[in-house]
Amino acid sequence: MKFQHDHLISLAAEIFAAAGCQPDEAHRVGRRLVEANLVGHDSHGVIRIPSYVEWLRNGKVLANQPIRIVSENDVIAVVDGQFGLGQSVGETAIQLGINKAAQQGVSVIALRNAGHLGRIGDWAEMAAEAGMISLHFVNTSGAGMLVAPFGGIDRRLSANPFTAGVPAGEGKPIILDMSACTVAEGKIRLALNQGKMVSDGCLIDSEGNPTNDPRHFYGDPPGAILPISGHKGSGLSLIIELLAGALTGSSCTNPENAWRVANGMLSIIIDRSFFGSANEFFPEMERFVTFVKSSRTVIDNGEILMPGELEQRTRARRLESGIELDEITWKQICETCQLLDIKHGFAEADLTVQTFQDSQITMPGCEPISGKSGSRIHE
Ligand SMILES: NC(=O)c1ccc[n+]([C@@H]2O[C@H](COP(=O)([O-])OP(=O)(O)OC[C@H]3O[C@@H](n4cnc5c(N)ncnc54)[C@H](O)[C@@H]3O)[C@@H](O)[C@H]2O)c1
């Protein structure tokens, strides 16, 4: 089924308001989830509504939480998200970082105990919109224990995204937004919902054997995700845990915290204008991007994409043609509406752009694949 993005935002806002959020917060969370769908990261979009609502209902995440400043100077702030919704406390923390960087040239924000921060590229985009370069290191302290270390079988690390954004003057910013593991957990969940297999080299089963089947990952005992690029990705993941978990005070992956999802995020925000004139930086950036893109391509008529470019194109397309949701995701959202006694605003006739039949889904770096059961999903 396909939905217009603004209808999905309204529905999500209605759901979060019914779950206890003030209207501003309900809209902010809904908007950021739908934004993840718009840029193609369905794993971090409205598929999360049922679990966010469940966490709100059982107190694992709290509505309308302000951030608490633990310590602060002109450049650094240690900020406690107090287990508020990540889309809310994350936005406040990044705005604080932007304000400090605008005054001092650089800022470091250590956010601890945030609810799930969603798509981390959001925060780099927010900084880029304010003209700032930014780096973000994110871990999950407990329930995100998903990834086996290099050479290991057992889950010991979280997905640990690293995100960086560089504004490009008049053009679109470069946004590198990647987890340090081969596949984001939300995408395994999506594959499970869609009856698909996960690409080679992403998962091991509970005995350490390679597998493509998402059911092995969610089995009892469970399997694990592999880090990207073997020992290098495993090392990167470890550093991200230390910066986002230990330095922020949010805690590195720890099975004792497994009852709740909480993100820690270390953000470094840089005001480029302190480092030289726009007339030096942007032309050099443009020259270099053009040079990189001028490489011969492996496939005929191929194209070199910049980080974030795929998402920018997907966004333009989905703004126009709508957001496709699989039937299970939609059914789960409808069940959440029923749970919250929401009757108004989610009649399919109002929301549906067109009926979802047999989808062709394009994944980064992959050719289009059939949406039929048994096909592969790479993300
Ligand atoms: N909140 C959390 O705890 C958490 C945890 C893990 C992941 N995430 C989010 O999950 C999302 C998915 O992460 P992921 O690792 O699956 O991302 P991904 O593999 O889809 O993309 C990673 C990066 O590669 C770029 N890219 C993709 N295809 C490309 C191509 N063909 N050429 C050039 N560049 C290309 C993308 O623009 C992106 O910057 C991210 O938004 C991340 O922030 C969040």
Side-chain angles (χ1 to χ4, degrees):
M1 301 171 76
K2 267 193 175 178
F3 301 88
Q4 287 171 351
H5 76 283
D6 48 351
H7 287 156
L8 273 185
I9 294 174
S10 303
L11 175 63
E14 195 177 351
I15 292 172
F16 287 111
C21 299
Q22 294 294 331
D24 268 10
E25 179 168 272
H27 188 266
R28 192 178 310 136
V29 178
R31 181 173 54 81
R32 291 208 176 272
L33 288 179
V34 173
E35 187 64 28
N37 288 107
L38 273 178
V39 299
H41 289 293
D42 295 333
S43 57
H44 288 69
V46 295
I47 194 174
R48 302 276 175 164
I49 288 176
S51 46
Y52 281 18
V53 168
E54 190 196 322
W55 296 342
L56 281 165
R57 284 165 68 88
N58 59 26
K60 290 182 179 176
V61 70
L62 305 172
N64 313 313
Q65 277 293 79
I67 59 166
R68 182 175 69 83
I69 305 287
V70 179
S71 62
E72 185 178 28
N73 64 20
D74 289 346
V75 173
I76 300 169
V78 180
V79 172
D80 195 327
Q82 306 191 96
F83 303 106
L85 282 154
Q87 285 77 4
S88 223
V89 296
E91 190 169 304
T92 317
I94 295 298
Q95 190 57 56
L96 179 66
I98 291 170
N99 297 347
K100 283 185 184 294
Q103 293 296 319
Q104 305 298 327
V106 67
S107 69
V108 182
I109 305 295
L111 173 63
R112 62 172 71 158
N113 303 330
H116 186 244
L117 286 160
R119 175 185 167 254
I120 307 307
D122 259 9
W123 312 120
E125 279 173 7
M126 184 176 161
E129 274 163 25
M132 306 280 171
I133 295 169
S134 66
L135 308 172
H136 310 264
F137 305 85
V138 173
N139 89 323
T140 310
S141 62
M145 193 164 78
L146 303 165
V147 180
F150 179 68
I153 294 175
D154 299 321
R155 299 180 179 196
R156 289 292 181 268
L157 301 159
S158 62
N160 294 348
F162 166 73
T163 299
V166 183
E170 297 300 306
K172 298 277 187 200
I174 288 184
I175 305 286
L176 174 65
D177 179 23
M178 48 166 269
S179 44
C181 61
T182 47
V183 59
E185 191 266 339
K187 290 174 186 178
I188 309 173
R189 172 76 57 194
L190 205 63
L192 188 76
N193 280 1
Q194 297 179 347
K196 293 178 180 173
M197 292 288 131
V198 176
S199 289
D200 292 344
C202 292
L203 300 180
I204 51 175
D205 67 17
S206 60
E207 297 303 314
N209 303 306
T211 180
N212 301 101
D213 192 335
R215 288 170 299 183
H216 291 157
F217 178 74
Y218 294 108
D220 184 15
I225 307 175
L226 293 171
I228 54 167
S229 309
H231 61 285
K232 298 182 192 180
S234 194
L236 174 66
S237 194
L238 197 94
I239 296 295
I240 293 170
E241 287 268 359
L242 293 176
L243 297 183
L247 189 64
T248 63
S250 203
S251 159
C252 297
T253 291
N254 182 345
E256 287 177 17
N257 300 334
W259 65 280
R260 107 190 305 168
V261 172
N263 278 157
M265 174 163 72
L266 187 84
S267 297
I268 301 170
I269 299 174
I270 299 166
D271 186 344
R272 182 211 46 76
S273 67
F274 277 67
F275 291 78
S277 86
N279 292 338
E280 291 164 356
F281 184 80
F282 292 128
E284 173 60 2
M285 182 170 172
E286 198 180 323
R287 182 202 66 76
F288 183 60
V289 167
T290 307
F291 174 62
V292 172
K293 279 179 166 279
S294 71
S295 164
R296 289 179 300 143
T297 55
V298 174
I299 56 167
D300 289 344
N301 301 317
E303 188 186 4
I304 313 292
L305 296 177
M306 290 299 106
E309 207 170 349
L310 195 80
E311 285 82 355
Q312 286 149 7
R313 290 181 188 184
T314 307
R315 187 172 196 280
R317 203 173 55 245
R318 290 188 175 186
L319 275 175
E320 187 75 20
S321 66
I323 292 169
E324 193 168 272
L325 297 184
D326 65 87
E327 286 176 20
I328 294 181
T329 300
W330 178 238
K331 182 168 166 282
Q332 289 168 347
I333 292 171
C334 290
E335 284 165 4
T336 302
C337 288
Q338 281 159 8
L339 190 73
L340 296 168
D341 209 19
I342 297 175
K343 294 189 176 62
H344 163 74
F346 80 108
E348 285 183 18
D350 294 341
L351 295 161
T352 306
V353 177
Q354 65 183 63
T355 306
F356 167 58
Q357 304 242 309
D358 182 17
S359 69
Q360 290 281 317
I361 303 172
T362 308
M363 298 296 170
C366 285
E367 71 281 14
I369 51 178
S370 163
K372 282 182 180 158
S373 175
S375 58
R376 279 164 195 271
I377 189 165
H378 171 90
E379 271 190 292

